[in-house]
Coordinates of all heavy atoms in Angstrom, one line a residue:
M1 N -30.4 20.9 5.6 CA -29.3 20.6 4.7 C -28.1 20.1 5.4 O -27.6 20.6 6.3 CB -28.9 21.9 3.9 CG -27.8 21.5 2.8 SD -27.6 22.9 1.8 CE -26.7 24.1 2.8
M2 N -27.6 18.8 4.9 CA -26.3 18.3 5.5 C -25.1 19.1 5.0 O -25.0 19.4 3.8 CB -26.0 16.9 5.2 CG -25.0 16.2 5.9 SD -24.9 14.4 5.8 CE -24.3 14.3 4.0
R3 N -24.2 19.6 6.0 CA -23.0 20.3 5.5 C -21.8 19.4 5.7 O -21.5 18.9 7.0 CB -22.7 21.6 6.3 CG -23.9 22.6 5.9 CD -23.7 23.8 6.8 NE -24.8 24.7 6.6 CZ -24.9 25.7 5.8 NH1 -23.8 26.0 5.1 NH2 -25.9 26.5 5.7
R4 N -21.1 19.2 4.7 CA -20.0 18.2 4.9 C -18.7 18.9 4.5 O -18.6 19.9 3.6 CB -20.0 17.0 3.8 CG -21.4 16.2 3.9 CD -21.3 15.1 3.0 NE -20.5 14.0 3.2 CZ -20.0 13.2 2.4 NH1 -20.5 13.1 1.2 NH2 -19.2 12.2 2.7
G5 N -17.6 18.6 5.2 CA -16.3 19.1 4.9 C -15.9 20.3 5.8 O -14.9 20.9 5.4
R6 N -16.6 20.7 6.8 CA -16.2 21.7 7.6 C -14.8 21.5 8.2 O -14.7 20.5 8.8 CB -17.2 22.1 8.8 CG -18.3 22.8 8.1 CD -19.4 23.2 9.3 NE -20.4 24.0 8.8 CZ -21.5 24.2 9.5 NH1 -21.7 23.7 10.8 NH2 -22.5 25.0 9.1
G7 N -13.9 22.5 8.1 CA -12.5 22.3 8.8 C -11.7 21.5 7.8 O -10.5 21.4 8.1
L8 N -12.1 21.3 6.6 CA -11.2 20.8 5.5 C -10.7 21.9 4.7 O -11.4 22.8 4.4 CB -11.9 19.8 4.6 CG -12.6 18.6 5.4 CD1 -13.0 17.6 4.2 CD2 -11.4 17.8 6.1
F9 N -9.5 21.8 4.3 CA -8.8 22.8 3.3 C -8.5 21.9 2.1 O -7.9 20.9 2.3 CB -7.5 23.3 3.9 CG -6.9 24.2 2.8 CD1 -7.2 25.5 2.6 CD2 -5.9 23.8 2.1 CE1 -6.6 26.3 1.6 CE2 -5.2 24.4 1.0 CZ -5.5 25.7 0.8
G10 N -8.7 22.5 0.9 CA -8.4 21.9 -0.3 C -9.3 21.0 -0.9 O -10.5 21.0 -0.4
P11 N -9.1 20.3 -1.8 CA -7.8 20.2 -2.5 C -7.4 21.6 -3.3 O -8.3 22.2 -3.5 CB -7.9 18.9 -3.6 CG -9.4 19.0 -3.8 CD -10.2 19.5 -2.5
M12 N -6.1 21.6 -3.4 CA -5.7 22.7 -4.2 C -4.6 22.3 -5.2 O -4.1 21.1 -5.0 CB -5.0 23.9 -3.3 CG -3.9 23.3 -2.5 SD -2.9 24.7 -1.8 CE -1.5 24.8 -2.8
G13 N -4.4 23.1 -6.1 CA -3.3 22.9 -7.2 C -2.8 24.2 -7.9 O -3.6 25.2 -7.9
V14 N -1.6 24.2 -8.3 CA -1.1 25.3 -9.1 C -0.8 24.7 -10.5 O -0.2 23.6 -10.6 CB 0.3 25.9 -8.5 CG1 0.8 26.9 -9.4 CG2 0.1 26.3 -7.0
D15 N -1.3 25.4 -11.6 CA -1.0 25.0 -12.9 C 0.5 24.8 -13.1 O 1.3 25.5 -12.6 CB -1.4 26.2 -13.8 CG -1.4 25.8 -15.4 OD1 -0.2 26.0 -15.9 OD2 -2.4 25.3 -15.8
D16 N 0.7 23.7 -13.9 CA 2.2 23.3 -14.0 C 3.1 24.4 -14.5 O 4.3 24.4 -14.2 CB 2.3 22.0 -14.7 CG 1.7 21.9 -16.0 OD1 1.3 23.1 -16.5 OD2 1.7 21.0 -16.7
T17 N 2.5 25.4 -15.1 CA 3.4 26.3 -15.8 C 3.8 27.5 -14.7 O 4.7 28.2 -14.8 CB 2.7 27.2 -17.0 OG1 1.5 27.7 -16.5 CG2 2.3 26.3 -18.1
G18 N 3.0 27.3 -13.6 CA 3.4 28.3 -12.5 C 4.0 27.9 -11.3 O 4.2 28.5 -10.3
R19 N 4.3 26.6 -11.3 CA 5.0 25.9 -10.1 C 6.3 26.3 -9.8 O 7.0 26.7 -10.7 CB 4.9 24.5 -10.3 CG 3.5 23.9 -10.3 CD 3.4 22.3 -10.5 NE 2.0 22.0 -10.6 CZ 1.5 20.9 -10.9 NH1 2.4 19.9 -11.0 NH2 0.2 20.7 -11.0
G20 N 6.8 26.2 -8.6 CA 8.2 26.6 -8.2 C 8.4 28.1 -8.0 O 9.6 28.6 -8.0
Q21 N 7.4 28.9 -7.9 CA 7.4 30.3 -7.8 C 6.8 30.8 -6.5 O 6.7 32.0 -6.2 CB 6.8 31.0 -9.0 CG 7.3 30.5 -10.3 CD 6.5 31.2 -11.5 OE1 6.1 32.4 -11.4 NE2 6.1 30.4 -12.4
G22 N 6.5 29.9 -5.6 CA 5.9 30.3 -4.4 C 4.4 30.5 -4.4 O 3.9 30.9 -3.3
I23 N 3.8 30.3 -5.5 CA 2.4 30.4 -5.6 C 1.6 29.5 -4.5 O 0.7 29.8 -3.9 CB 1.9 30.2 -6.9 CG1 2.5 31.4 -7.8 CG2 0.3 30.3 -7.1 CD1 2.2 31.4 -9.3
G24 N 2.0 28.2 -4.6 CA 1.3 27.2 -3.9 C 1.5 27.4 -2.4 O 0.5 27.4 -1.6
T25 N 2.7 28.0 -2.0 CA 2.8 28.4 -0.6 C 1.9 29.4 -0.1 O 1.2 29.5 0.9 CB 4.3 28.7 -0.3 OG1 5.1 27.6 -0.6 CG2 4.3 29.1 1.2
R26 N 1.8 30.4 -1.0 CA 1.1 31.7 -0.8 C -0.5 31.3 -0.8 O -1.2 31.6 0.1 CB 1.3 32.7 -1.6 CG 2.7 33.5 -1.5 CD 2.7 34.8 -2.1 NE 2.7 34.7 -3.6 CZ 3.8 34.4 -4.4 NH1 4.8 34.2 -3.9 NH2 3.5 34.4 -5.8
L27 N -0.9 30.4 -1.7 CA -2.3 30.0 -1.7 C -2.6 29.3 -0.4 O -3.7 29.4 0.2 CB -2.5 29.1 -3.0 CG -3.8 28.6 -3.2 CD1 -4.9 29.6 -3.3 CD2 -3.9 27.7 -4.3
L28 N -1.8 28.3 0.0 CA -2.0 27.6 1.2 C -2.0 28.3 2.4 O -2.9 28.3 3.2 CB -0.8 26.4 1.3 CG -0.8 25.6 2.6 CD1 -2.1 24.8 2.7 CD2 0.5 24.6 2.5
L29 N -1.1 29.3 2.6 CA -1.2 30.1 3.9 C -2.2 31.1 3.8 O -3.0 31.3 4.9 CB 0.2 30.9 3.9 CG 1.5 30.1 4.1 CD1 2.7 31.0 4.1 CD2 1.4 29.2 5.4
A30 N -2.7 31.6 2.6 CA -3.9 32.4 2.6 C -5.1 31.6 3.0 O -6.1 32.1 3.7 CB -4.1 32.9 1.2
G31 N -5.2 30.4 2.5 CA -6.5 29.5 2.9 C -6.5 29.2 4.4 O -7.6 29.3 5.0
L32 N -5.4 28.7 4.8 CA -5.4 28.5 6.3 C -5.5 29.7 7.2 O -6.2 29.5 8.3 CB -3.9 27.7 6.6 CG -3.7 26.4 6.0 CD1 -2.4 25.8 6.4 CD2 -4.9 25.4 6.3
G33 N -5.0 30.8 6.8 CA -5.2 32.0 7.4 C -6.6 32.5 7.5 O -7.1 32.9 8.6
A34 N -7.2 32.2 6.3 CA -8.8 32.5 6.4 C -9.5 31.6 7.4 O -10.5 32.1 8.0 CB -9.3 32.4 4.9
M35 N -9.1 30.4 7.4 CA -9.7 29.3 8.4 C -9.6 29.8 9.8 O -10.4 29.9 10.6 CB -9.4 28.0 8.0 CG -9.8 27.5 6.7 SD -9.3 25.7 6.4 CE -10.2 24.9 7.7
R36 N -8.3 30.2 10.0 CA -8.0 30.7 11.5 C -8.8 31.9 11.8 O -9.4 32.0 12.9 CB -6.5 31.0 11.6 CG -6.2 31.6 12.9 CD -4.8 32.1 13.0 NE -3.7 30.9 13.1 CZ -2.6 31.1 13.1 NH1 -1.9 32.3 13.0 NH2 -1.7 30.0 13.1
A37 N -9.0 32.8 10.8 CA -9.8 34.1 11.0 C -11.3 33.7 11.3 O -11.9 34.4 12.0 CB -9.6 35.1 9.9
D38 N -11.6 32.5 10.7 CA -13.0 32.1 10.8 C -13.2 31.2 12.1 O -14.3 30.9 12.4 CB -13.4 31.4 9.6 CG -14.8 31.3 9.3 OD1 -15.6 32.2 9.8 OD2 -15.4 30.2 8.9
G39 N -12.2 31.1 12.9 CA -12.4 30.6 14.1 C -11.8 29.0 14.3 O -11.9 28.4 15.3
Y40 N -11.2 28.6 13.2 CA -10.8 27.2 13.2 C -9.4 27.1 13.9 O -8.5 27.9 13.6 CB -10.6 26.5 11.8 CG -12.0 26.2 11.1 CD1 -12.7 27.3 10.4 CD2 -12.6 25.1 11.4 CE1 -13.9 27.0 9.8 CE2 -13.9 24.7 10.9 CZ -14.5 25.7 10.1 OH -15.8 25.5 9.5
A41 N -9.3 26.1 14.9 CA -8.0 26.0 15.6 C -7.2 25.0 14.9 O -5.9 25.1 15.0 CB -8.3 25.5 17.0
Y42 N -7.7 24.1 14.1 CA -6.9 23.1 13.2 C -7.7 23.0 11.9 O -8.9 23.4 11.8 CB -7.2 21.8 14.0 CG -6.4 21.7 15.3 CD1 -7.1 21.9 16.4 CD2 -5.1 21.3 15.4 CE1 -6.7 21.9 17.7 CE2 -4.6 21.3 16.6 CZ -5.2 21.5 17.8 OH -4.6 21.5 19.1
A43 N -6.9 22.6 11.0 CA -7.4 22.3 9.6 C -7.0 21.1 9.1 O -5.8 20.6 9.5 CB -7.0 23.4 8.6
I44 N -7.8 20.3 8.5 CA -7.4 19.0 7.7 C -7.2 19.3 6.3 O -8.2 19.8 5.7 CB -8.5 18.0 8.0 CG1 -8.5 17.7 9.6 CG2 -8.2 16.7 7.2 CD1 -9.7 16.7 9.9
I45 N -6.0 19.0 5.8 CA -5.8 19.2 4.4 C -6.3 18.0 3.7 O -5.8 16.8 3.9 CB -4.4 19.4 4.1 CG1 -3.9 20.6 4.9 CG2 -4.1 19.6 2.6 CD1 -2.5 20.9 4.9
A46 N -7.4 18.0 2.9 CA -8.0 17.0 2.3 C -7.5 16.8 0.9 O -7.1 17.7 0.2 CB -9.5 17.3 2.2
G47 N -7.4 15.5 0.4 CA -6.9 15.2 -0.8 C -5.4 15.9 -1.0 O -5.2 16.3 -2.1
A48 N -4.6 15.7 -0.1 CA -3.4 16.3 -0.1 C -2.4 15.5 -1.0 O -2.1 14.3 -0.7 CB -2.7 16.3 1.4
G49 N -2.0 16.3 -2.0 CA -1.0 15.6 -3.0 C -0.2 16.7 -3.6 O -0.6 17.7 -4.1
P50 N 1.1 16.7 -3.4 CA 2.0 15.7 -2.7 C 2.1 16.1 -1.2 O 2.1 17.1 -0.9 CB 3.3 15.8 -3.5 CG 3.2 17.2 -3.8 CD 1.9 17.5 -4.2
V51 N 2.0 15.0 -0.4 CA 2.0 15.1 1.1 C 3.3 15.8 1.5 O 3.3 16.8 2.3 CB 1.9 13.9 1.7 CG1 2.3 13.9 3.3 CG2 0.5 13.2 1.5
A52 N 4.5 15.7 0.7 CA 5.8 16.2 1.2 C 5.6 17.7 1.1 O 6.3 18.5 1.9 CB 6.9 15.7 0.3
F53 N 4.9 18.3 0.1 CA 4.8 19.8 0.1 C 4.0 20.4 1.3 O 4.6 21.4 1.9 CB 3.9 20.0 -1.1 CG 3.4 21.6 -1.2 CD1 4.3 22.5 -1.5 CD2 2.1 21.8 -0.8 CE1 3.8 24.1 -1.6 CE2 1.7 23.1 -0.9 CZ 2.5 24.2 -1.2
Y54 N 3.0 19.7 1.8 CA 2.4 20.2 3.1 C 3.2 20.0 4.3 O 3.2 20.9 5.3 CB 1.0 19.5 3.1 CG 0.0 19.8 1.9 CD1 0.0 19.0 0.9 CD2 -0.5 21.1 1.9 CE1 -0.8 19.3 -0.2 CE2 -1.3 21.5 0.9 CZ -1.5 20.5 -0.2 OH -2.3 20.9 -1.3
E55 N 4.0 18.9 4.4 CA 4.8 18.6 5.6 C 5.8 19.7 5.6 O 6.2 20.2 6.6 CB 5.4 17.2 5.3 CG 4.5 16.1 5.5 CD 5.1 14.8 5.3 OE1 6.2 14.7 4.4 OE2 4.8 13.8 5.8
K56 N 6.4 20.0 4.4 CA 7.5 21.0 4.4 C 6.9 22.5 4.7 O 7.6 23.1 5.4 CB 8.2 21.1 3.0 CG 9.3 22.0 2.7 CD 10.0 21.9 1.5 CE 11.1 22.8 1.5 NZ 12.0 22.5 0.3
T57 N 5.9 22.8 4.0 CA 5.5 24.2 4.1 C 4.8 24.7 5.4 O 5.0 25.7 6.0 CB 4.6 24.7 2.9 OG1 3.5 23.7 2.8 CG2 5.4 24.6 1.6
V58 N 4.0 23.7 6.0 CA 3.2 24.0 7.2 C 3.3 23.0 8.4 O 2.6 23.1 9.2 CB 1.8 24.4 6.9 CG1 1.6 25.6 6.0 CG2 1.0 23.1 6.3
G59 N 4.3 22.1 8.1 CA 4.4 21.1 9.2 C 3.3 20.0 9.4 O 3.1 19.6 10.4
A60 N 2.6 19.8 8.2 CA 1.5 19.0 8.4 C 1.9 17.5 8.5 O 2.9 17.2 8.3 CB 0.6 19.0 6.9
I61 N 1.0 16.7 9.2 CA 1.3 15.3 9.5 C 0.1 14.5 8.9 O -1.0 14.9 9.1 CB 1.6 15.1 10.9 CG1 0.4 15.5 11.8 CG2 2.8 15.7 11.3 CD1 0.5 15.1 13.2
P62 N 0.4 13.3 8.3 CA -0.7 12.5 7.8 C -1.5 11.9 9.0 O -1.0 11.7 10.0 CB 0.2 11.5 7.0 CG 1.5 12.0 6.7 CD 1.8 12.9 8.0
I63 N -2.7 11.8 8.7 CA -3.7 11.1 9.7 C -3.8 9.6 9.3 O -4.4 9.5 8.1 CB -5.0 11.8 9.7 CG1 -4.9 13.3 10.1 CG2 -6.0 11.1 10.6 CD1 -6.4 14.1 9.8
P64 N -3.4 8.7 10.1 CA -3.4 7.4 9.7 C -4.8 6.9 9.4 O -5.7 7.2 10.1 CB -2.9 6.6 10.9 CG -2.0 7.6 11.6 CD -2.7 9.0 11.3
G65 N -5.0 6.2 8.3 CA -6.2 5.6 7.9 C -7.2 6.7 7.4 O -8.4 6.3 7.2
S66 N -6.8 7.7 7.0 CA -7.8 8.9 6.4 C -7.8 8.9 4.9 O -8.6 9.5 4.4 CB -7.2 10.2 6.9 OG -5.8 10.5 6.2
E67 N -7.2 7.9 4.2 CA -7.4 7.7 2.7 C -8.3 6.6 2.5 O -8.4 5.6 3.2 CB -5.9 7.4 2.2 CG -5.0 8.6 2.0 CD -5.4 9.6 0.9 OE1 -6.1 9.3 0.0 OE2 -4.9 10.7 1.0
P68 N -9.3 6.8 1.6 CA -9.4 7.9 0.6 C -10.2 9.0 1.2 O -10.2 10.2 0.5 CB -10.1 7.3 -0.5 CG -11.0 6.2 0.0 CD -10.2 5.8 1.3
G69 N -10.9 8.9 2.2 CA -11.7 10.1 2.9 C -12.7 10.4 2.0 O -13.4 9.8 1.2
L70 N -13.2 11.8 2.3 CA -14.5 12.4 1.9 C -14.4 12.5 0.3 O -15.6 12.3 -0.2 CB -14.5 13.8 2.5 CG -15.9 14.5 2.2 CD1 -17.1 14.0 2.8 CD2 -15.8 16.0 2.8
Y71 N -13.4 12.7 -0.3 CA -13.3 12.9 -1.7 C -13.2 11.6 -2.5 O -12.7 11.6 -3.6 CB -12.3 13.9 -2.0 CG -12.6 15.2 -1.4 CD1 -11.5 15.9 -0.8 CD2 -13.7 15.8 -1.5 CE1 -11.8 17.1 -0.1 CE2 -14.1 17.1 -1.0 CZ -13.0 17.8 -0.3 OH -13.3 18.9 0.4
R72 N -13.5 10.5 -1.9 CA -13.3 9.3 -2.6 C -13.8 9.2 -4.0 O -15.0 9.5 -4.2 CB -14.0 8.2 -1.8 CG -14.1 6.7 -2.4 CD -15.0 5.9 -1.8 NE -15.0 5.8 -0.3 CZ -14.3 4.8 0.4 NH1 -13.9 3.8 -0.4 NH2 -14.3 4.9 1.6
G73 N -12.9 9.0 -4.9 CA -13.2 8.8 -6.4 C -13.6 10.1 -7.1 O -14.0 10.2 -8.2
M74 N -13.3 11.2 -6.4 CA -13.6 12.6 -7.0 C -12.4 13.3 -7.5 O -12.5 14.3 -8.2 CB -14.3 13.4 -6.0 CG -15.7 12.9 -5.5 SD -16.4 13.8 -4.1 CE -16.7 15.4 -4.6
L75 N -11.2 12.9 -7.0 CA -10.0 13.7 -7.4 C -9.2 12.8 -8.4 O -9.1 11.7 -8.3 CB -9.2 13.9 -6.1 CG -10.0 14.7 -5.1 CD1 -9.1 14.9 -3.8 CD2 -10.3 16.1 -5.5
R76 N -8.4 13.7 -9.1 CA -7.5 13.2 -10.1 C -6.1 13.9 -9.8 O -6.2 15.1 -9.9 CB -7.8 13.3 -11.5 CG -6.9 12.8 -12.5 CD -7.5 12.9 -13.9 NE -8.0 14.3 -14.2 CZ -7.2 15.3 -14.8 NH1 -5.9 15.1 -15.0 NH2 -7.7 16.5 -14.9
R77 N -5.0 13.3 -9.3 CA -3.8 13.9 -9.2 C -3.1 14.3 -10.5 O -3.2 13.4 -11.5 CB -2.9 13.0 -8.5 CG -3.4 12.7 -7.1 CD -2.3 12.5 -6.1 NE -2.8 11.8 -4.8 CZ -3.3 12.6 -3.8 NH1 -3.6 13.8 -3.9 NH2 -3.9 11.9 -2.7
V78 N -2.6 15.4 -10.6 CA -2.1 16.1 -11.9 C -0.6 16.1 -11.7 O -0.1 16.2 -10.6 CB -2.7 17.2 -12.3 CG1 -4.1 16.9 -12.6 CG2 -2.7 18.3 -11.2
Ligands
LIG101 C1 2.1 20.9 -4.8 C2 2.0 22.2 -5.5 C3 0.7 22.8 -5.0 C4 3.1 23.1 -5.1 O1 2.9 24.4 -5.6 P1 4.1 25.3 -6.1 O2 3.6 26.6 -6.4 O3 5.0 24.9 -7.0 O4 4.9 25.4 -4.7 P2 5.9 26.5 -4.1 O5 6.7 27.1 -5.3 O6 5.2 27.4 -3.2 O7 7.0 25.5 -3.3 C5 7.2 25.7 -1.9 C6 8.2 24.7 -1.4 O8 7.5 23.4 -1.5 C7 8.4 22.6 -2.3 N1 7.7 21.6 -3.2 C8 6.9 22.0 -4.3 N2 6.4 20.9 -4.7 C9 6.8 19.9 -4.0 C10 6.6 18.4 -4.2 N3 6.0 17.9 -5.0 N4 7.2 17.6 -3.1 C11 7.9 18.2 -2.1 N5 8.1 19.6 -2.0 C12 7.6 20.4 -2.9 C13 9.2 23.5 -3.2 O9 10.5 22.9 -3.5 C14 9.4 24.7 -2.2 O10 10.5 24.5 -1.4 P3 11.7 25.7 -1.2 O11 10.9 26.7 -0.6 O12 12.6 25.1 -0.4 O13 12.2 26.0 -2.6 C15 2.0 22.1 -7.1 O14 3.0 21.4 -7.4 C16 0.7 21.3 -7.5 O15 -0.4 21.9 -7.7 N6 0.9 20.0 -7.5 C17 -0.4 19.1 -8.0 C18 -1.2 18.9 -6.8 C19 -2.5 18.2 -7.3 O16 -2.4 17.1 -7.9 N7 -3.5 18.6 -7.0 C20 -4.9 18.0 -7.2 C21 -5.7 17.6 -6.0 S1 -5.0 16.0 -5.5

């Protein structure tokens, strides 16, 4: 069986009624923490939207040429 997406985090989202309360930050840190515990030294945040949120919360940097990536045609930004 082919396994795709190892080392990828996301996509993730917070329901619009719950935004602005720190839920997205906690969800992101929990997910990345679980990946670290599983042995990953780095994570790629896939389908990152909005990028500014990830830059601000965990210092993520965009990978040039990585769009649309693995999830081509599968995601809808909300
Ligand atoms: C981005 C998202 C996860 C943030 O979740 P959240 O729970 O509102 O975020 P938090 O409350 O933890 O915010 C943490 C910080 O990020 C900032 N932030 C939140 N949304 C942001 C945005 N769109 N752009 C830049 N900064 C943002 C907040 O201002 C906050 O900063 P502060 O600590 O100085 O106040 C949420 O807005 C979301 O789900 N958006 C839709 C994402 C989407 O379309 N996903 C589908 C896959 S593509």
Side-chain angles (χ1 to χ4, degrees):
M1 179 175 75
M2 185 171 78
R3 294 175 187 264
R4 303 179 72 196
R6 283 183 174 166
L8 300 186
F9 172 84
M12 61 166 256
V14 175
D15 186 271
D16 56 7
T17 59
R19 293 180 189 173
Q21 302 172 47
I23 296 171
T25 299
R26 290 198 293 277
L27 181 60
L28 175 61
L29 294 179
L32 294 179
M35 290 181 69
R36 174 186 284 175
D38 203 28
Y40 288 94
Y42 296 92
I44 295 172
I45 300 170
V51 170
F53 166 75
Y54 297 97
E55 291 175 329
K56 178 174 185 174
T57 51
V58 293
I61 53 173
I63 300 174
S66 62
E67 287 281 343
L70 183 64
Y71 299 130
R72 177 195 304 264
M74 297 168 62
L75 300 179
R76 177 174 55 89
R77 300 211 190 278
V78 293

